Amino acid sequence: NDFLSSKVFKFDIHRLISSHSESGKRLNSNCSNLASVLDYMGQDRSKFNQYVDLVREVFPEIRDVSILKEGNPKILIWMPQSTRPDLAIPLENCGTGVGQVLAMLAILFDSEDSKTVIIDEPNSFLHPSASRKLIDVFSRYPENQSIITTHSPEIISSSNINTILFLKINDEGKTEIKKIDKSSQNGIRGIFTDLGIK
């Protein structure tokens, strides 16, 4: 359990990331210490700027991310119109996808060892363009493994996905797993047909 809790991170629509934080320098599997991890990362300004650049790639409407250090660290999101600290948005007032992405991207910057990130139906908490950009960012960090479950045609057809496994219940009620050849037009088309995607 301890091994898995530091190596495997699962994200779905039910996970909420708070702007306030428990303490810690390495991200907990439930991401409860995200603000502290980002605060610690901020000590290396160059690294933190790279992190914020990735956040902007996924969410171009976000201008900046900062940590308010009054008591427990608190994550603030800066939009273009946020010109004063009182106009910055606390993370809990943002959509769930923002907190999820901030935590996922923080995992990429934990360079001590590789991680497995499981993302369940990212389109349930992210705009399709944000999902595609997130997949693109993850593809640049091959030392980590990403497992994505989805019905999204944007993600299935993404050129940055290495392996597609199609799971289908057969007539006997058992799940069959079929590896799809991405280079085959019929393979992707067959998935879309089975999913009812035109």
Side-chain angles (χ1 to χ4, degrees):
N1 263 354
D2 289 340
F3 175 79
L4 289 178
S5 69
S6 67
K7 304 281 186 193
V8 178
F9 296 81
K10 181 178 180 284
F11 295 88
D12 60 30
I13 194 169
H14 304 293
R15 168 171 270 191
L16 298 175
I17 311 290
S18 173
S19 66
H20 293 279
S21 184
E22 298 175 7
S23 62
K25 297 177 183 177
R26 301 200 59 199
L27 196 61
N28 296 339
S29 62
N30 64 3
C31 303
S32 58
N33 64 336
L34 178 62
S36 289
V37 168
L38 294 181
D39 184 37
Y40 179 72
M41 187 193 305
Q43 294 174 18
D44 180 342
R45 201 61 218 170
S46 173
K47 187 175 184 179
F48 191 75
N49 288 342
Q50 290 172 28
Y51 170 80
V52 173
D53 286 344
L54 291 182
V55 171
R56 282 194 211 111
E57 277 190 54
V58 179
F59 297 117
E61 64 276 12
I62 291 178
R63 180 169 60 86
D64 203 359
V65 177
S66 66
I67 309 300
L68 180 65
K69 300 177 192 178
E70 292 176 359
N72 284 341
K74 181 178 180 179
I75 301 170
L76 298 176
I77 305 300
W78 295 75
M79 306 304 271
Q81 67 274 20
S82 305
T83 55
R84 304 185 321 251
D86 60 314
L87 297 177
I89 303 168
L91 182 60
E92 67 260 12
N93 293 348
C94 297
T96 56
V98 176
Q100 304 268 40
V101 169
L102 263 60
M104 289 180 214
L105 297 179
I107 293 167
L108 300 180
F109 280 81
D110 184 0
S111 59
E112 289 188 28
D113 44 24
S114 61
K115 305 284 192 257
T116 299
V117 179
I118 302 168
I119 308 171
D120 185 27
E121 295 289 356
N123 278 33
S124 62
F125 54 87
L126 287 176
H127 187 278
S129 67
S131 295
R132 281 193 305 273
K133 290 174 185 171
L134 183 66
I135 301 301
D136 179 54
V137 168
F138 266 86
S139 71
R140 291 181 240 156
Y141 293 82
E143 64 276 12
N144 296 297
Q145 181 181 30
S146 306
I147 301 171
I148 301 166
T149 60
T150 187
H151 295 88
S152 162
E154 296 88 7
I155 293 175
I156 293 169
S157 59
S158 170
S159 61
N160 293 314
I161 299 288
N162 293 331
T163 305
I164 298 175
L165 299 176
F166 184 64
L167 281 67
K168 184 176 181 179
I169 298 176
N170 65 19
D171 294 337
E172 298 168 7
K174 296 180 181 177
T175 302
E176 292 179 347
I177 302 173
K178 180 179 174 185
K179 187 171 181 176
I180 302 300
D181 179 4
K182 284 182 55 178
S183 63
S184 164
Q185 204 57 0
N186 290 335
I188 298 291
R189 190 173 289 131
I191 290 176
F192 288 170
T193 300
D194 281 347
L195 294 175
I197 297 167
K198 296 183 179 179

